[in-house]
Amino acid sequence: MELLDGRSLANELTQAQQMAVTQLKQQGIIPKLVVIMVGTDPASTIYTKNKQKRAAKIGIASELKQLPDETTATDLLALIHQLNEDATVDGILVQLPLPKQINEDQIIQAIDPQKDVDGFSPVNIGKLWLNEPGLVACTPNGIMQLLAAYNIDIAGKNVVIVGRSNIVGRPLAALMLNANATVTIAHSHTVALKALTKTADILIVAIGRARFFGVDDVKKGAVVVDVGINRLEDGSVTGDVDFEALKTHVSAMTPVPRGVGPMTITMLMAQTIEIAKGRAKRG
Amino acid sequence: MELLDGRSLANELTQAQQMAVTQLKQQGIIPKLVVIMVGTDPASTIYTKNKQKRAAKIGIASELKQLPDETTATDLLALIHQLNEDATVDGILVQLPLPKQINEDQIIQAIDPQKDVDGFSPVNIGKLWLNEPGLVACTPNGIMQLLAAYNIDIAGKNVVIVGRSNIVGRPLAALMLNANATVTIAHSHTVALKALTKTADILIVAIGRARFFGVDDVKKGAVVVDVGINRLEDGSVTGDVDFEALKTHVSAMTPVPRGVGPMTITMLMAQTIEIAKGRAKRG
């Protein structure tokens, strides 16, 4: 089995990104990412810190706009409009979830689609399905990069995606379809799920159930991409598939951790740099 | 077998639409659809005429903006901007294809998403995939209405869509997924296509190959929706499935013609009326 080593690829890409940023700075452009966080959700605090750390490592200017829990939609929209207008800001990311008084859809739609580094705005999702250039959600984008780095063929393959979230399953379906895969999207309403997963040449699971899929549920020689992150009672982290059992059964597989996870933040940086390159070109 | 009679349903809906328009007129609102056609493509001429005829029948004001073949993108964009600003215009439809000097994507993106009755703009496609309210492509929309009218269950069903166009396959996949189907999208790169179509509880075919799918390719008791329109040498029209052969094999099926076809234009009128209702509400 080939290990689809997201951490190792992320490290390589990070080095290339450092060089790209150095070149941009020589042109007088400093890529800049602004992360907006409302409230003090502990998980969000960790995620935003990780994003800032990675940005700093690469040389991307990052700014955390930390707003109080009781922030109104009006205040948040005003900030987003200001950042939309600010020519020195390349990427704008609103850390989700937002407090209940704020409509997330409305906020995401307010971000300039050209600065929407998370690729969550309707315009970018529409472009993705139209197979037009645009910004793409980072986790699916990272999965495609990881498969490409290991020369995994996609065209004509049966790809089964388990999970239909807006941030993983749906955009990944578009990317896979655009790459000429035959794509099936399964979810909580799917009947005979494990018979379906067994038909997949490439199986992508994102349901958040520890070791839910085993040898009997996966085709011999399949490629498995595990997006699940499940914390066990002993504190360890495991994916949605039984990695140990599948090791001798599949042809390639992502580990958890160090598989898909490290790619997500790497794609966030990649898109921020791409936007900054566009700014450099426009002069 | 139950015949999924699109013509009959379209006729019913047209009557309901006439009443809805009458009510709107009593509120001083005349729903208005503007169709823009560039050049003199014979097929487009027929389609636009049919749209105008149907609009007239329902009481929707329709206007055909017929532009010469050599129209520039700039001219067309200027017209669209003017129609976007015109408060009396509810729906704007640009008849495709456009002449080669004009970038279709750019034109579609210029239409106010709230007047985009074809549902082709990135914003509306994005909202569709986000399962948010928006305007939806008329053929897939018509298919969903047809299945609903015949009480065909969708949740948990294996839906196989053959064809991944922007106007049928892709948006239909979103609608089916939003309706909790397990959705597979197949296309020209799909391997073992006919083994796949045989797994479908609901099979939707849109590939434009006359009678391509027969009894061996369809599950016994399946529901078949045939979007194909193929003209045979004798001048008759047939779908992508062998209707006669499947009659005793499937549980429900659309005929061709008089199946999906009549629903498309009906959905166009429905969306124009819905937009006008929004205008009436805003006062």
Side-chain angles (χ1 to χ4, degrees), chain A residues 16-76:
Chain A
Q17 288 173 354
Q18 286 168 330
M19 287 168 54
V21 170
T22 301
Q23 285 190 339
L24 279 167
K25 286 183 177 168
Q26 285 164 358
Q27 297 174 258
I29 300 282
I30 303 169
K32 182 169 177 182
L33 172 66
V34 177
V35 177
I36 303 172
M37 182 177 156
V38 183
T40 54
D41 179 70
S44 291
T45 303
I46 294 169
Y47 296 145
T48 55
K49 271 196 184 145
N50 286 342
K51 286 165 190 169
Q52 289 197 284
K53 251 192 238 170
R54 178 70 69 85
K57 187 174 178 183
I58 296 169
I60 290 175
S62 85
E63 195 177 330
L64 176 62
K65 301 274 189 188
Q66 178 103 43
L67 304 180
D69 222 347
E70 65 274 17
T71 300
T72 64
T74 311
D75 292 341
L76 186 49

Side-chain angles (χ1 to χ4, degrees), chain A residues 138-152:
Chain A
C138 295
T139 299
N141 202 353
I143 291 169
M144 298 306 284
Q145 296 278 331
L146 187 57
L147 294 175
Y150 284 90
N151 297 310
I152 308 275

Side-chain angles (χ1 to χ4, degrees), chain A residues 93-202:
Chain A
L93 183 156
V94 177
Q95 188 70 41
L96 302 178
L98 290 170
K100 282 179 187 162
Q101 75 274 15
I102 300 178
N103 178 335
E104 286 185 0
D105 293 341
Q106 187 196 14
I107 299 303
I108 298 300
Q109 287 179 34
I111 300 170
D112 179 344
Q114 304 201 23
K115 298 187 176 188
D116 166 37
V117 274
D118 256 345
F120 290 170
S121 73
V123 172
N124 280 315
I125 295 169
K127 287 186 171 181
L128 176 61
W129 281 98
L130 290 164
N131 205 2
E132 291 174 17
L135 295 166
V136 178
C138 295
T139 299
N141 202 353
I143 291 169
M144 298 306 284
Q145 296 278 331
L146 187 57
L147 294 175
Y150 284 90
N151 297 310
I152 308 275
D153 284 336
I154 290 170
K157 293 289 186 282
N158 288 325
V159 173
V160 176
I161 300 168
V162 186
R164 56 170 167 174
S165 72
N166 291 334
I167 62 176
V168 182
R170 289 171 188 244
L172 184 59
L175 290 167
M176 286 290 182
L177 188 64
N178 292 344
N180 296 323
T182 301
V183 180
T184 301
I185 315 174
H187 45 80
S188 55
H189 289 76
T190 295
V191 176
L193 175 63
K194 290 178 165 190
L196 178 65
T197 55
K198 201 161 186 171
T199 68
D201 300 316
I202 301 175

Side-chain angles (χ1 to χ4, degrees), chain A residues 166-238:
Chain A
N166 291 334
I167 62 176
V168 182
R170 289 171 188 244
L172 184 59
L175 290 167
M176 286 290 182
L177 188 64
N178 292 344
N180 296 323
T182 301
V183 180
T184 301
I185 315 174
H187 45 80
S188 55
H189 289 76
T190 295
V191 176
L193 175 63
K194 290 178 165 190
L196 178 65
T197 55
K198 201 161 186 171
T199 68
D201 300 316
I202 301 175
L203 174 63
I204 296 128
V205 290
I207 58 169
R209 295 179 69 168
R211 296 177 189 149
F212 185 71
F213 299 98
V215 168
D216 291 345
D217 316 318
V218 178
K219 190 197 277 189
K220 178 90 182 151
V223 173
V224 173
V225 175
D226 192 343
V227 190
I229 300 178
N230 309 287
R231 194 165 290 277
L232 302 180
E233 283 186 12
D234 67 4
S236 67
V237 164
T238 186

Side-chain angles (χ1 to χ4, degrees), chain B residues 76-88:
Chain B
L76 186 49
L77 288 171
L79 173 59
I80 289 171
H81 291 143
Q82 179 208 314
L83 296 169
N84 284 346
E85 296 304 315
D86 185 341
T88 69

Side-chain angles (χ1 to χ4, degrees), chain B residues 1-248:
Chain B
M1 184 207 66
E2 185 157 43
L3 191 73
L4 304 174
D5 185 339
R7 189 172 65 165
S8 157
L9 177 60
N11 286 341
E12 275 178 42
L13 292 173
T14 297
Q15 287 184 10
Q17 289 172 354
Q18 286 168 330
M19 287 168 55
V21 170
T22 302
Q23 284 189 340
L24 278 167
K25 285 183 177 169
Q26 285 164 358
Q27 297 174 260
I29 301 281
I30 303 168
K32 182 170 177 182
L33 172 65
V34 177
V35 177
I36 303 172
M37 182 175 156
V38 183
T40 55
D41 180 69
S44 291
T45 304
I46 294 169
Y47 297 146
T48 53
K49 272 196 184 144
N50 285 342
K51 286 164 190 170
Q52 290 196 283
K53 252 193 238 168
R54 179 69 70 83
K57 187 174 178 182
I58 296 169
I60 291 175
S62 85
E63 194 176 331
L64 175 63
K65 300 274 189 187
Q66 179 105 42
L67 305 181
D69 223 347
E70 64 274 17
T71 301
T72 63
T74 311
D75 293 340
L76 186 49
L77 288 171
L79 173 59
I80 289 171
H81 291 143
Q82 179 208 314
L83 296 169
N84 284 346
E85 296 304 315
D86 185 341
T88 69
V89 173
D90 296 296
I92 304 170
L93 184 157
V94 177
Q95 189 70 42
L96 302 179
L98 291 170
K100 282 178 187 165
Q101 74 274 16
I102 301 178
N103 178 334
E104 286 186 359
D105 294 340
Q106 186 196 15
I107 299 302
I108 298 301
Q109 288 179 33
I111 300 171
D112 179 344
Q114 303 200 23
K115 298 186 175 189
D116 165 37
V117 274
D118 256 343
F120 290 170
S121 73
V123 172
N124 281 316
I125 295 169
K127 287 186 172 181
L128 176 61
W129 281 99
L130 289 165
N131 204 2
E132 291 174 18
L135 295 166
V136 178
C138 295
T139 299
N141 203 352
I143 291 170
M144 298 306 284
Q145 296 277 332
L146 188 57
L147 294 175
Y150 284 90
N151 297 309
I152 308 274
D153 284 335
I154 289 169
K157 292 289 186 284
N158 288 325
V159 172
V160 175
I161 300 168
V162 186
R164 57 171 166 173
S165 72
N166 292 334
I167 62 174
V168 181
R170 289 171 187 244
L172 184 60
L175 290 167
M176 286 291 182
L177 188 64
N178 293 343
N180 296 323
T182 301
V183 180
T184 301
I185 315 173
H187 46 80
S188 55
H189 289 76
T190 294
V191 175
L193 175 63
K194 290 179 166 190
L196 177 64
T197 56
K198 202 162 184 167
T199 68
D201 301 316
I202 302 175
L203 174 63
I204 296 127
V205 290
I207 59 169
R209 296 180 70 169
R211 297 178 189 147
F212 185 72
F213 299 99
V215 168
D216 292 344
D217 316 318
V218 178
K219 190 196 277 190
K220 178 90 183 150
V223 173
V224 173
V225 176
D226 192 343
V227 191
I229 299 177
N230 310 287
R231 194 165 291 277
L232 302 181
E233 283 185 14
D234 67 3
S236 66
V237 163
T238 187
D240 291 348
V241 304
D242 187 340
F243 184 87
E244 286 305 317
L246 283 169
K247 258 179 166 174
T248 53

